[in-house]
């Protein structure tokens, strides 16, 4: 594998504006799943808003974390955060292709007493345990209690980590496969990129990578030199070849045509055949 020459731009926080750094981070750390968070204030007024600083962090206890950041332009906080500080409850609804434009509309900064369910044309469903309603159109809705809110700063752009314990999960049966598991293909999730970009987590965008062998793959350091120095096989190709418990016996070819054939086989998920194509 011939390593390419890279030209690197280096950015240090404090040397660029928060807005510019924000743009770099959101474009680089992506795609990000979207937490479509429904909350209520202490008077019961409903709020619904999407957040892409979000993920699952534990299964036992089941824990989700999302972060409504302080607005960069004026350092104000969002209604979602204010509601959670009052009530310590939230429902996190997933965003799929069918409702992505409605979720985007709900991100509009409406006044505090405006219900985004109504503005975005979405349906409220009473939750079983918590006060905030679920989004009926969301394929999965997760009722949570908030265990902790961690402020990361007091300036514009600072996040607030909302640590949520899962109390109940509601799943549309249409997205379950024959074994009762959530089907990635049926979910049709979408995710946030930088700027106004989103991406689809379905269709041609999906691909699988076999997990590393529990019995330990041989690794790059045990690959034959003619394979390791290939001008055709990339790092990804070599990683697949290195994910075997034992390298097949034989004399390995340095011919670019053999390497190209192996590369094609790897692209088609045929690891054993790829190894055989590399033997003279």
């Amino acid at each position: 594998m011939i390593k390419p020459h890279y030209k690197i731009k280096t950015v240090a926080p404090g040397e660029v504006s928060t807005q510019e750094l924000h743009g770099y981070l959101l474009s680089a750390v992506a795609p990000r799943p979207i937490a479509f968070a429904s909350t209520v204030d202490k008077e019961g007024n409903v709020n619904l808003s999407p957040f892409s600083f979000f993920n699952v962090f534990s299964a036992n206890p089941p824990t989700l974390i999302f972060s409504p950041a302080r607005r960069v332009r004026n350092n104000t906080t969002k209604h979602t955060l204010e509601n959670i500080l009052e009530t310590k409850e939230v429902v996190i609804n997933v965003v799929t292709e069918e409702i992505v434009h409605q979720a985007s509309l709900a991100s509009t900064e409406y006044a505090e007493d405006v219900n985004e369910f109504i503005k975005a044309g979405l349906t409220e469903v009473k939750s079983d345990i918590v006060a905030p309603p679920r989004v009926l159109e969301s394929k999965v809705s997760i009722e949570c209690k908030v265990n902790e809110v961690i402020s990361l700063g007091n300036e514009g752009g600072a996040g607030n980590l909302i640590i949520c314990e899962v109390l109940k999960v509601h799943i549309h049966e249409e997205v379950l496969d024959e074994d009762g598991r959530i089907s990635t293909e049926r979910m049709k999730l979408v995710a946030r990129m930088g700027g106004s970009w989103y991406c689809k987590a379905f269709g041609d965008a999906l691909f699988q990578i076999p997990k590393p062998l529990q019995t330990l793959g041989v690794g790059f350091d045990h690959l034959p030199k003619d394979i390791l120095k290939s001008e055709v096989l990339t790092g990804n190709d070599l990683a697949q070849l290195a994910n075997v418990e034992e390298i097949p016996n034989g004399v390995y070819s340095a011919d670019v045509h053999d390497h190209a054939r192996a590369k094609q086989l790897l692209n088609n998920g045929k690891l054993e055949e790829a190894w055989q194509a590399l033997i003279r």
Side-chain angles (χ1 to χ4, degrees), residues 18-32 52-53 191-199:
T18 300
Q19 185 174 8
E20 184 177 353
L21 181 61
H22 183 260
Y24 286 132
L25 292 175
L26 267 63
S27 294
V29 184
R32 299 182 306 282
S52 67
F53 290 174
R192 286 289 278 121
M193 308 293 285
S196 60
W197 290 96
Y198 288 72
C199 73

Side-chain angles (χ1 to χ4, degrees), residues 100-215:
V100 63
H101 285 281
Q102 290 167 284
S104 177
L105 178 58
S107 71
T108 303
E109 294 179 8
Y110 294 111
E112 186 174 4
D113 59 349
V114 172
N115 185 335
E116 287 83 3
F117 275 88
I118 296 172
K119 288 293 186 182
L122 294 165
T123 309
E124 293 184 35
V125 178
K126 182 176 174 55
S127 296
D128 292 352
I129 300 175
V130 299
R134 295 153 34 209
V135 176
L136 175 62
E137 292 81 1
S138 177
K139 298 295 178 61
V140 178
S141 295
I142 306 170
E143 297 185 39
C144 303
K145 69 174 182 178
V146 174
N147 288 337
E148 189 175 2
V149 178
I150 301 175
S151 172
L152 300 180
N154 297 313
E155 301 297 326
N160 295 274
L161 302 186
I162 299 178
I163 302 175
C164 308
E165 182 177 340
V166 175
L167 301 179
K168 188 169 283 192
V169 182
H170 305 271
I171 307 169
H172 284 210
E173 290 189 3
E174 66 189 72
V175 304
L176 299 177
D177 64 19
E178 295 72 16
D179 297 319
R181 299 187 180 93
I182 291 177
S183 164
T184 296
E185 295 91 339
R186 295 178 187 177
M187 279 285 282
K188 294 189 176 180
L189 288 165
V190 294
R192 286 289 278 121
M193 308 293 285
S196 60
W197 290 96
Y198 288 72
C199 73
K200 298 178 179 180
F202 56 92
D204 292 340
L206 293 179
F207 60 96
Q208 297 187 63
I209 297 178
K211 292 185 178 181
L213 298 174
Q214 291 187 350
T215 52

